[in-house]
Amino acid sequence: MSATVPIEIPREIMRSTRMTPQEMKRDLAILLFQQGKLSFGKAREMAGMTVWTFQQLLGSRGVPVHYDVEAYEEDLQTLKELGRL
């Protein structure tokens, strides 16, 4: 079972960015992926997007997909935990 952690973002910040909470969550997922702190699969999951859509979004922003053996194994484990393998 997965748990979530709420993050408080001041309303003024949300107004200033003109972003919805989902857009902010998506951009955070992209940033964490770029920094190598999340695998592609976990970042895609956080963004709430399909593999194809997330890959297209990364491409449109010029973010290279760095998918190594460690990321593959992490994604494989996630699929097993979700009962998809």
Side-chain angles (χ1 to χ4, degrees):
M1 178 185 255
S2 176
T4 61
V5 178
I7 298 173
E8 291 186 28
I9 300 170
R11 192 175 311 273
E12 185 56 36
I13 299 294
M14 295 302 294
R15 281 191 202 122
S16 294
T17 63
R18 297 181 182 184
M19 296 172 77
T20 66
Q22 182 57 36
E23 289 170 328
M24 193 162 285
K25 189 174 175 182
R26 182 197 61 212
D27 282 8
L28 178 58
I30 292 169
L31 176 66
L32 293 172
F33 174 73
Q34 278 182 298
Q35 294 176 348
K37 295 181 179 180
L38 280 181
S39 69
F40 177 89
K42 290 291 186 185
R44 177 205 61 79
E45 187 179 315
M46 181 178 177
M49 302 175 92
T50 66
V51 171
W52 179 246
T53 306
F54 190 62
Q55 204 164 17
Q56 285 182 316
L57 178 61
L58 292 176
S60 72
R61 297 207 180 171
V63 178
V65 178
H66 47 272
Y67 199 73
D68 59 11
V69 173
E70 184 179 334
Y72 168 78
E73 289 173 353
E74 184 178 324
D75 289 343
L76 191 59
Q77 182 62 35
T78 298
L79 288 172
K80 287 178 183 176
E81 289 170 6
L82 293 173
R84 296 189 180 174
L85 282 181

